[in-house]
Amino acid sequence: PMEMAEALEACKVPTLKVLDLGENGLTEIRALVAPMASNALSTIEKLNLESNPIGNRGVMALATVLSCGAMPALQDLDLTDTDCGSDGCVALAEALGNGAAVALKDLSLGDNQIEKEGAMALAGAVSKGALQALETLVLETCGLEHEATGAIIEALAKKAPCLHSLNLNHNQMGQRGAARVAAALEAKPMMFLQELQMSGNGIDGQGFALLANAIGRGATPSLEELDLSNGLELMDDNKSHNRRWVAPNEASHSWKTV
């Protein structure tokens, strides 16, 4: 990390927009904080730290850098599988909530156990209106139950008007989570949401019906894909341009026309 930090310090390229450090085996990024904070990366629009086990300390260090206004152009932040827990997510959410990355469009926190505390902090940041440019949010396999996912979707519905893709796959939403999502969407439709992924959340029966009814009443008028695999899936029929309810492995079988 020290050699990489020195290289970044020397590499003050005013046109640099993408910095991909994914899968480099980084265990901490404190050595990278200095070049980041020195505005060497002020033009960066995409930062990828995916699959580096930097943990809470690394994400907290990044949050400190963002809080200093060191990356004002940041639009895409990928922290997938970085061993970030609730403490790291809370620090990141605090920075984002204070306007550290108002241009952020894509945020990926998948495969990190941020759990309820981290998710609630992130929902709080969204509720402040500091992430209104957000278009894609990935919270796959984050250890989220119904209360956390409910808070997230409610905040996004109210304060993330540009959102078009939300990934909540492989959490623990259950029927109560599905009910919270359906209620939030009915209360405040997400006009531009095209993709809602909730696979592997144990949603079926009543939860599925609540979601179907909310969508059928216009809660997500732009929706093209609703992934509830391990249940049912809403797919777009490209030939007829009509949405259909279909079983995941039976794409030719129509369950219900919306």
Side-chain angles (χ1 to χ4, degrees):
M2 186 59 68
E3 292 178 354
M4 190 177 295
E6 291 173 353
L8 287 175
E9 189 86 61
C11 184
K12 294 184 179 181
V13 182
T15 56
L16 189 64
K17 293 185 177 182
V18 178
L19 180 58
D20 190 342
L21 300 175
E23 301 183 33
N24 266 310
L26 301 176
T27 56
E28 48 99 348
I29 62 167
R30 285 177 295 176
L32 301 177
V33 168
M36 288 180 178
S38 68
N39 291 324
L41 303 179
S42 61
T43 58
I44 289 292
E45 296 179 0
K46 178 175 182 178
L47 176 61
N48 180 13
L49 291 168
E50 178 184 5
S51 300
N52 288 297
I54 59 175
N56 283 324
R57 289 192 301 175
V59 176
M60 291 168 77
L62 176 62
T64 299
V65 170
L66 292 174
S67 295
C68 295
M71 285 186 272
L74 188 65
Q75 297 180 23
D76 187 335
L77 178 59
D78 193 342
L79 294 172
T80 303
D81 189 24
T82 50
D83 287 348
C84 176
S86 59
D87 290 345
C89 188
V90 167
L92 178 64
E94 182 177 352
L96 296 177
N98 289 330
V102 294
L104 194 65
K105 294 182 179 180
D106 302 299
L107 176 60
S108 298
L109 286 166
D111 295 316
N112 291 301
Q113 293 301 299
I114 66 170
E115 300 181 327
K116 179 181 177 180
E117 186 178 0
M120 297 299 277
L122 187 59
V126 174
S127 295
K128 288 183 177 181
L131 294 170
Q132 294 197 39
L134 198 65
E135 296 180 358
T136 301
L137 178 61
V138 178
L139 295 174
E140 181 174 8
T141 318
C142 284
L144 309 182
E145 38 67 72
H146 71 279
E147 188 174 355
T149 52
I152 287 286
I153 196 77
E154 288 162 9
L156 291 169
K158 294 176 181 176
K159 294 290 186 175
C162 299
L163 194 75
H164 65 243
S165 179
L166 176 61
N167 185 340
L168 293 168
N169 284 343
H170 304 296
N171 286 293
Q172 295 93 45
M173 294 174 60
Q175 305 300 341
R176 287 187 290 179
R180 288 281 296 269
V181 171
L185 292 176
E186 289 212 64
K188 181 66 175 177
M190 300 181 78
M191 303 304 294
F192 300 105
L193 189 68
Q194 297 176 6
E195 183 177 302
L196 179 56
Q197 299 182 27
M198 296 188 293
S199 173
N201 273 284
I203 299 172
D204 55 22
Q206 184 178 1
F208 172 75
L210 289 171
L211 288 167
N213 289 334
I215 292 167
R217 286 194 285 264
T220 53
S222 300
L223 194 67
E224 296 177 0
E225 180 182 346
L226 174 63
D227 185 353
L228 293 170
S229 48
N230 296 329
L232 297 177
E233 190 173 33
L234 177 64
M235 299 176 65
D236 187 57
D237 182 349
N238 292 323
K239 293 182 180 179
S240 63
H241 301 289
N242 293 320
R243 297 193 189 99
R244 299 181 302 161
W245 293 106
V246 300
N249 297 317
E250 301 173 21
S252 63
H253 178 73
S254 177
W255 286 64
K256 176 182 178 182
T257 300
V258 178

